Amino acid sequence: MSVHKEVKRVTTHTLQEWKEAGIKISMLTAYDFSMAKLIDAGGIDVILVGDSASNVMAGHETTLPITLDQMIYHASSVVRAVNRALVVVDLPFGNYQGNSRLALESAIRIMKEAGAHAVKLEGGAEIRESVERILTAGIPVMGHLGLTPQSIYKFGTYTVRAKEEAEATKLLEDAILLEKSGCFALVLEKIPATLAEKVAKKVSIPVVGIGAGGGVDGQVLVSHDMLGITTEFKPRFLRRYLNLSDEIQNAVKQYVDDVKSHNFPGKDEQY
Ligand code: KIV
């Protein structure tokens, strides 16, 4: 594990080396400066500025409404906080599907204006042209297969994907295609663990899972879920490491009580 600690700055090459050495990759989301600073200091390898910001930060039901300008705002705040982690940023819905020129322009804006290190796109064969065009600019691309929340209205539900053979076969083909196209890594979301392990063994690039079991090269979670800030979202794959929702509400209640009861500020808390 010393190889892991010694790394001053995680790059796409580091992740590839870790896959080959069997060192697991840790990844969490962040959308703002303060949280990104804490997560980076905690030793995370990859920070994803996910379009889940649309749900977590803005309160939308889906990831579809978030805009490129909003993603750039979140990403630039994260990049300013980070010393060690690789920062990957989601291309938002509508900025790459069916339009590889727009995909390239959007990816360039994310790299230039936010200072990100890589971008992530959802989908396989359907978005190949966009992936390949972005790669021509020297921008690293992470793929995302399985449950792809930007396609929620096609799926209809957030249940496990690729349980049927036809969808599993397409997913494996897409993973191989994304590797051949030049993606440096893949995210697999909410698919059977056996399929995820098969994909991770088949492709030579790192595969990071969320709800995809332990047979892959790394794990990603939404930080607000694993810290227990969000409470309604309770999928089987989620492990909560803290219950910040209760902690924060208790602190707020205590503060309200202190203000109302003239207990705050005290004599040594004023000028
Ligand atoms: O937007 C996001 O948070 C994601 C993760 C769930 C992988 O894409």
Side-chain angles (χ1 to χ4, degrees):
M1 276 307 139
S2 60
V3 194
H4 172 260
K5 287 250 160 70
E6 278 161 22
V7 170
K8 287 213 174 72
R9 185 106 231 183
V10 179
T11 67
T12 57
H13 296 279
T14 320
L15 302 184
Q16 185 61 46
E17 280 168 21
W18 286 349
K19 163 136 187 166
E20 285 156 26
I23 298 170
K24 298 276 186 183
I25 297 159
S26 62
M27 174 161 152
L28 280 174
T29 59
Y31 319 105
D32 68 276
F33 178 84
S34 305
M35 185 71 93
K37 207 171 167 64
L38 293 171
I39 289 174
D40 188 54
I44 204 75
D45 300 320
V46 183
I47 291 185
L48 173 66
V49 184
D51 58 359
S52 49
S54 179
N55 313 106
V56 177
M57 303 305 285
H60 292 297
E61 208 171 299
T62 73
T63 57
L64 276 66
I66 201 159
T67 66
L68 181 61
D69 283 338
Q70 288 165 340
M71 287 304 295
I72 289 171
Y73 168 76
H74 287 297
S76 59
S77 309
V78 167
V79 167
R80 279 192 290 276
V82 167
N83 289 314
R84 179 180 176 275
L86 180 82
V87 180
V88 181
V89 180
D90 269 337
L91 273 193
F93 174 69
N95 278 81
Y96 61 95
Q97 292 93 343
N99 189 340
S100 65
R101 183 182 288 267
L102 179 61
L104 176 60
E105 280 168 16
S106 306
I108 288 176
R109 279 198 62 201
I110 285 176
M111 302 299 280
K112 215 187 227 315
E113 296 175 37
H117 308 142
V119 296
K120 176 164 82 59
L121 280 69
E122 295 181 5
E126 324 74 45
I127 58 146
R128 180 185 195 154
E129 210 180 299
S130 291
V131 169
E132 288 178 348
R133 196 151 187 171
I134 293 170
L135 285 162
T136 62
I139 299 172
V141 177
M142 179 180 262
H144 183 156
L145 298 170
L147 177 63
T148 46
Q150 291 181 9
S151 307
I152 187 57
Y153 291 113
K154 183 176 93 182
F155 297 146
T157 73
Y158 286 99
T159 52
V160 181
R161 303 303 315 172
K163 276 162 83 177
E164 308 302 330
E165 203 180 320
E167 197 180 338
T169 305
K170 159 123 173 62
L171 189 143
L172 185 59
E173 284 168 5
D174 278 344
I176 295 166
L177 177 144
L178 289 173
E179 178 187 27
K180 283 204 179 117
S181 297
C183 284
F184 74 93
L186 297 177
V187 164
L188 295 182
E189 181 166 353
K190 222 169 175 187
I191 62 167
T194 45
L195 174 62
E197 185 169 1
K198 192 169 165 188
V199 173
K201 284 197 173 126
K202 187 82 187 164
V203 299
S204 59
I205 55 175
V207 174
V208 180
I210 172 164
V216 289
D217 308 304
Q219 298 295 324
V220 55
L221 286 176
V222 169
S223 51
H224 288 63
D225 297 334
M226 66 79 84
L227 294 172
I229 297 173
T230 52
T231 52
E232 283 112 58
F233 185 62
K234 293 178 187 151
R236 188 200 299 188
F237 67 77
L238 175 63
R239 187 180 293 178
R240 287 198 205 285
Y241 287 81
L242 274 179
N243 192 349
L244 278 187
S245 161
D246 281 356
E247 299 251 348
I248 291 171
Q249 287 181 68
N250 287 338
V252 171
K253 275 186 197 133
Q254 185 65 57
Y255 170 71
V256 171
D257 284 352
D258 286 351
V259 171
K260 302 274 183 202
S261 64
H262 304 219
N263 193 31
F264 177 81
K267 284 224 160 53
D268 50 359
E269 289 165 320
Q270 57 190 328
Y271 301 99

